[in-house]
Amino acid sequence: MEPLQALITQIQGLSSSASDISRLHSILKQADSSLRSDPDRLSPLLSNLDPSLHSLGFLFILEASLVFPVSKQQAEISVPIITRFISACSAEQIRLAPDKFISVCKTLKDQVTLLEAPIRGVAPMLTALRKLQVSTERLTPLHSEFLLLCLLAKCYKTGLSILEDDIFEVDQPRDLFLYCYYGGMICIGQKHFPKALDLLHNVVTAPMSTLNAIAVEAYKKYILVSLIRHGQFSTSLPKYSSSVAQRNLKNFCQPYIELANSYGTGKIAELEEYVQANTNKFESDNNLGLVKQVVSSMYKRNIQRLTQTYLTLSLQDIANTVQLNSPKGAEMHVLQMIQDGEIYATINQKDGMVRFLEDPEQYKTCEMIEHIDSSIQRVMALSRKLATMDEQISCDHLYLSKAGRERQRYDFDDFDVPTRFNI
């Protein structure tokens, strides 16, 4: 019997019980190099296998058949095969060869990108991510691939679905950097600026021994989103940030630091002039759209300042004060801010007067109580999780040996030594 056909027979016969699958795994690992030596003969063999029953064998053969780059015509054939496999495969079997499964999924991403149809990979990649994930607390290499496809396909709402998970387990630092960076961009696309700030903050403050391009790009967006969200930006990073980031990030983002300084003056003309002078730089960084939102946010910020001073103001006065071109422009900004919940006001269309109001929320509705309660429960669960992790780390042999070497042999703070003796 031909070796490949013999392998197919073994796959079909050893895919039922856990012991058989374990034995099959060993056989497939031994045959892997021979499978890769002749990938052109492998695709027809897949028709002899059921991806739901023979997932492990199907995975090895499929992955070996995809080792070389393909043309658009070949991608049109292989993409449906990969998506059907991801949909039907057994999670228990593919987890035995996670590197192979990740390789197949990354090939899917590359091929749908080649076909200029990233949306075709969004749903399969989400399915693959969930099948590979042992728990929702674990970050996989497919998280960033999924978010990238969502960005390319502009499926921002779909991308938000995995950003709601609390991640506690990370294998590779690069996966965390990309997950937070792409996740921040997804949130920016949906104008969820608080969540975007959190994710970009994680990139900027994550441990790093050398500065990387992901952190630099994240810092640029972090500056812009900070201005949009808070109307200010501080170049001081938290103490837990790496020394590499604290020393070097600002040097790579000088135009953005200067933009923040110009924003801080509150002078819209100066800000617009600076943006105009540096348009090419912001455009080359693919941040020009976000920079324009920064400029727009200054108008909003100046309008918000008026609410702290005036109870009633005409649209003409608002336009003059915040340097808008016309009362109509002021009206559009005020209406948008009311809709977004950024201010509370009413507009009298007859005389063009704006009346600023207090926040109507009394914090005693059923919905608000449920929201507060769910937030408290989430914080309590997070506290318990952190306590468990702290206990695990404090008992970890590697941590204790490292901490022991760095600590002074005698630490008098650990002893209750009296400073005076009464005789």
Side-chain angles (χ1 to χ4, degrees):
M1 184 182 295
E2 188 184 355
L4 285 177
Q5 192 57 49
L7 183 62
I8 292 295
T9 303
Q10 288 179 308
I11 293 171
Q12 292 171 335
L14 296 174
S15 295
S16 53
S17 66
S19 58
D20 284 346
I21 292 173
S22 178
R23 183 182 165 197
L24 175 63
H25 190 202
S26 300
I27 294 171
L28 290 169
K29 285 193 289 186
Q30 293 174 1
D32 190 42
S33 58
S34 61
L35 287 174
R36 290 172 172 274
S37 64
D38 194 7
D40 294 335
R41 298 181 58 196
L42 300 179
S43 295
L45 299 176
L46 294 174
S47 60
N48 299 317
L49 300 175
D50 184 336
S52 61
L53 299 176
H54 314 124
S55 301
L56 186 61
F58 199 106
L59 173 60
F60 267 79
I61 294 176
L62 178 61
E63 194 269 341
S65 71
L66 299 171
V67 292
F68 296 121
V70 297
S71 64
K72 282 190 175 183
Q73 291 76 13
Q74 292 170 315
E76 286 287 5
I77 297 171
S78 58
V79 164
I81 296 173
I82 299 173
T83 54
R84 281 197 296 270
F85 168 69
I86 290 173
S87 176
C89 70
S90 162
E92 289 74 18
Q93 290 192 38
I94 61 99
R95 285 175 189 164
L96 294 173
D99 292 342
K100 300 274 183 195
F101 189 66
I102 291 167
S103 175
V104 167
C105 293
K106 289 185 175 182
T107 300
L108 172 65
K109 183 261 294 181
D110 293 338
Q111 293 191 2
V112 296
T113 304
L114 175 67
L115 294 172
E116 299 178 357
I119 195 169
R120 293 176 61 178
V122 171
M125 192 67 77
L126 179 58
T127 301
L129 186 158
R130 292 307 187 193
K131 287 190 175 184
L132 183 63
Q133 210 175 21
V134 179
S135 80
T136 57
E137 296 180 352
R138 189 173 193 85
L139 186 69
T140 73
L142 297 185
H143 278 75
S144 58
E145 303 292 341
F146 169 68
L147 292 174
L148 177 57
L149 284 174
C150 289
L151 284 169
L152 295 174
K154 293 183 170 57
C155 296
Y156 303 135
K157 286 186 178 179
T158 308
L160 288 174
S161 62
I162 68 167
L163 296 175
E164 296 171 358
D165 299 334
D166 291 322
I167 300 295
F168 294 99
E169 301 173 33
V170 179
D171 290 331
Q172 297 296 327
R174 185 174 184 273
D175 295 336
L176 177 65
F177 279 106
L178 287 175
Y179 167 77
C180 292
Y181 179 63
Y182 290 148
M185 293 176 67
I186 290 281
C187 292
I188 289 171
Q190 286 294 100
K191 297 191 183 299
H192 292 183
F193 294 122
K195 181 68 173 177
L197 270 179
D198 287 342
L199 290 166
L200 295 172
H201 178 86
N202 289 342
V203 180
V204 173
T205 59
M208 62 183 90
S209 55
T210 57
L211 198 62
N212 61 74
I214 305 171
V216 171
E217 295 306 312
Y219 191 58
K220 293 174 182 177
K221 288 180 170 59
Y222 182 67
I223 293 171
L224 299 177
V225 177
S226 295
L227 294 175
I228 294 171
R229 175 63 182 169
H230 299 304
Q232 58 185 5
F233 174 75
S234 172
T235 55
S236 299
L237 290 175
K239 291 183 179 179
Y240 51 80
S241 306
S242 68
S243 58
V244 172
Q246 294 190 40
R247 286 196 309 266
N248 300 314
L249 271 177
K250 289 179 284 188
N251 299 333
F252 288 90
C253 305
Q254 204 57 42
Y256 295 84
I257 301 291
E258 292 173 5
L259 176 73
N261 294 336
S262 178
Y263 189 100
T265 65
K267 298 177 181 178
I268 190 69
E270 288 184 11
L271 180 64
E272 289 180 332
E273 183 181 348
Y274 181 82
V275 170
Q276 188 65 34
N278 293 272
T279 295
N280 292 337
K281 171 61 179 173
F282 296 135
E283 194 167 16
S284 66
D285 289 341
N286 293 317
N287 285 329
L288 185 58
L290 203 54
V291 169
K292 289 180 178 179
Q293 291 186 59
V294 170
V295 175
S296 178
S297 73
M298 178 174 275
Y299 289 112
K300 294 182 179 181
R301 199 69 55 189
N302 289 338
I303 292 174
Q304 283 179 327
R305 291 194 184 99
L306 295 178
T307 67
Q308 301 169 9
T309 308
Y310 301 96
L311 291 175
T312 306
L313 206 59
S314 70
L315 289 171
Q316 182 64 60
D317 288 338
I318 293 175
N320 293 339
T321 305
V322 303
Q323 301 175 39
L324 285 164
N325 294 328
S326 66
K328 189 65 177 177
E331 182 180 5
M332 297 305 297
H333 273 83
V334 170
L335 285 173
Q336 186 62 51
M337 293 177 72
I338 294 172
Q339 183 178 337
D340 295 341
E342 295 173 334
I343 62 171
Y344 303 95
T346 58
I347 301 176
N348 188 326
Q349 294 289 346
K350 290 183 179 180
D351 55 13
M353 298 297 293
V354 179
R355 183 186 177 196
F356 299 117
L357 309 173
E358 295 292 331
D359 184 354
E361 178 60 64
Q362 299 296 312
Y363 298 96
K364 58 184 180 182
T365 61
C366 293
E367 292 81 3
M368 180 55 67
I369 292 172
E370 289 177 3
H371 174 71
I372 294 173
D373 181 64
S374 65
S375 298
I376 292 172
Q377 294 299 325
R378 187 170 181 273
V379 170
M380 291 172 64
L382 180 61
S383 177
R384 289 192 294 269
K385 181 69 177 179
L386 289 174
T388 303
M389 293 174 68
D390 181 65
E391 184 176 346
Q392 291 173 348
I393 292 173
S394 64
C395 299
D396 183 78
H397 175 72
L398 291 175
Y399 169 76
L400 291 175
S401 61
K402 181 177 174 64
R405 287 195 303 271
E406 293 178 352
R407 187 175 182 177
Q408 294 181 2
R409 185 169 181 178
Y410 297 107
D411 190 347
F412 286 100
D413 290 340
D414 290 345
F415 302 94
D416 186 14
V417 181
T419 57
R420 295 181 60 186
F421 294 90
N422 295 322
I423 298 176

